[in-house]
Amino acid sequence: MLLEHRITIPVAVDQVWAFMMDIPAVSRCVPGVGEVARIDDQTYSGIMSVRVGPIAVKLDGRVILAERDEAGRRARMDLQAADKRINGAVNVMGKLGEFGQAVIRKKADQIVQEFANNLSAAVATRS
């Protein structure tokens, strides 16, 4: 399942760029994310706890800064996560998959909206 969202942050692009390149700071804006550790300049590991209906998952994942174009102010971050309790990637399977894509999409929209609100507040207070 591909989820794509766009958000607008009402501050200068340079402020948003600087904040977005600070992966640990950005991760604190994502609801449910706990610890985040730097592996190298492009790779970070972290844990995210999320509840979809009655199902709670604890995702152990990585964020990889796959592309970074500072001049164009474009970056791509790839995320990979798995719930170690079910011993596999969370690809809409098992108990979580029973809820269907509509419920998962709704939860993703909710997380992105909360992330956008947290990001806006964090960037505004950092300046």
Side-chain angles (χ1 to χ4, degrees), residues 15-27:
Q15 289 174 270
V16 176
W17 176 260
F19 190 84
M20 292 299 292
M21 294 300 101
D22 182 350
I23 305 301
V26 171
S27 70

Side-chain angles (χ1 to χ4, degrees), residues 57-127:
V57 292
K58 189 172 185 177
L59 303 170
D60 186 8
R62 287 186 178 221
V63 175
I64 300 163
L65 187 53
E67 294 178 20
R68 180 181 176 153
D69 174 9
E70 190 165 350
R73 296 295 195 247
R74 293 179 47 93
R76 188 182 93 229
M77 296 175 196
D78 294 339
L79 291 86
Q80 304 164 344
D83 187 331
K84 294 299 182 187
R85 294 173 298 178
I86 61 174
N87 200 24
V90 177
N91 286 329
V92 192
M93 59 187 207
K95 290 183 181 180
L96 188 58
E98 292 174 15
F99 286 102
Q101 291 189 10
V103 173
I104 293 170
R105 236 177 247 289
K106 183 176 179 181
K107 183 62 177 183
D109 290 343
Q110 176 189 8
I111 290 170
V112 169
Q113 185 58 54
E114 192 172 337
F115 167 73
N117 294 341
N118 294 343
L119 181 63
S120 291
V123 171
T125 59
R126 191 181 230 197
S127 30

